[in-house]
Amino acid sequence: MDMSDKRSYERTESLAIWNTPDVKNFESLGSDDKVNAFKKVYKPNFFDYDWLKDRNMNTVVVACNPGDLLPEGEMMNFHGPKSSQDARLASVLYGTKFWGSYMADLSSEVSSDIKKVKLDNSNVERFLKRIREIGIADDAPIIALGNKVFEVFCNYSGNKFNSSLFSVMLGKHQVKRVYHYSGANPHWKWDIVRKQITE
């Protein structure tokens, strides 16, 4: 499947690419300044299809489901309104091997209440089938955004989820648990999440 064509992407899919700030020595900025730099250039409900040429099909980022603010149009998931806090995610992925990653939700259910979204092994099986059919490497590392997503991967791989577990193997895929970037998540701190992503 040719994932350089926007029509190849499903409603729950996108790429981990956003507008980038014109800042020298980004890495030397403080954590809040890094996030704010991305917030300043963030364009809500926007995806530049020229970014497709920079896609990275060797890594994957997975969330639970689209929120109720998901805008219309291909590739818009994870590029929603400013209130979705996607700029936080952009800032923490920037400069890592996950920049440009294939991104998807495990469920297509649109809801802002994650507690109402049911995930089970069938969601994981659909996801694994999808990444195979679009040509993701069978050993591509995967970031699981939030506990709910990571827990369903744990269950599928035969591991018991607990708060100290941050990585499981799913076949040849290493799945890393990363704190979700939601503004309601008190655990999300740039330095902590960056470490989760890069270690």
Side-chain angles (χ1 to χ4, degrees):
M1 184 174 291
D2 181 9
M3 296 303 280
S4 65
D5 182 348
K6 69 179 183 179
R7 293 168 298 181
S8 299
Y9 290 83
E10 297 177 354
R11 186 85 168 97
T12 56
E13 299 173 316
S14 192
L15 294 178
I17 303 177
W18 294 264
N19 285 318
T20 56
D22 184 15
V23 176
K24 294 178 180 175
N25 301 319
F26 177 80
E27 289 300 324
S28 68
L29 296 176
S31 300
D32 290 343
D33 291 333
K34 287 172 180 164
V35 175
N36 288 333
F38 269 87
K39 284 183 176 180
K40 285 178 183 174
V41 298
Y42 186 81
K43 289 186 181 180
N45 305 339
F46 173 79
F47 188 93
D48 185 340
Y49 288 100
D50 285 342
W51 293 339
L52 285 171
K53 68 182 184 300
D54 297 319
R55 70 197 182 284
N56 172 8
M57 304 303 278
N58 297 311
T59 53
V60 180
V61 178
V62 185
C64 180
N65 68 295
D68 58 6
L69 298 176
L70 178 67
E72 292 297 325
E74 303 102 333
M75 312 299 292
M76 287 293 111
N77 203 13
F78 307 103
H79 294 76
K82 284 191 175 183
S83 59
S84 67
Q85 298 293 335
D86 293 357
R88 287 172 118 189
L89 181 60
S91 72
V92 82
L93 292 177
Y94 183 62
T96 75
K97 67 183 180 182
F98 288 93
W99 184 259
S101 292
Y102 166 78
M103 299 182 77
D105 281 313
L106 284 182
S107 171
S108 60
E109 182 177 345
V110 176
S111 175
S112 60
D113 188 351
I114 195 171
K115 293 176 183 174
K116 294 181 179 177
V117 179
K118 305 295 183 193
L119 295 178
D120 58 30
N121 284 351
S122 66
N123 297 97
V124 178
E125 287 167 359
R126 267 195 305 275
F127 163 75
L128 291 174
K129 179 182 177 186
R130 178 63 176 159
I131 64 173
R132 281 194 301 270
E133 73 182 14
I134 65 175
I136 299 287
D138 65 1
D139 61 350
I142 299 169
I143 286 177
L145 295 171
N147 290 348
K148 186 163 189 164
V149 174
F150 185 70
E151 184 172 5
V152 75
F153 281 127
C154 285
N155 293 341
Y156 188 86
S157 63
N159 292 277
K160 185 171 177 56
F161 172 81
N162 66 71
S163 60
S164 63
L165 186 63
F166 280 87
S167 178
V168 294
M169 295 305 295
L170 194 65
K172 296 180 181 178
H173 300 286
Q174 180 189 22
V175 181
K176 295 182 178 186
R177 175 165 68 106
V178 170
Y179 294 138
H180 198 280
Y181 58 93
S182 165
N185 185 357
H187 298 292
W188 197 94
K189 301 285 187 287
W190 195 95
D191 291 333
I192 293 171
V193 175
R194 182 67 162 225
K195 189 175 182 181
Q196 291 173 334
I197 289 169
T198 56
E199 281 192 338

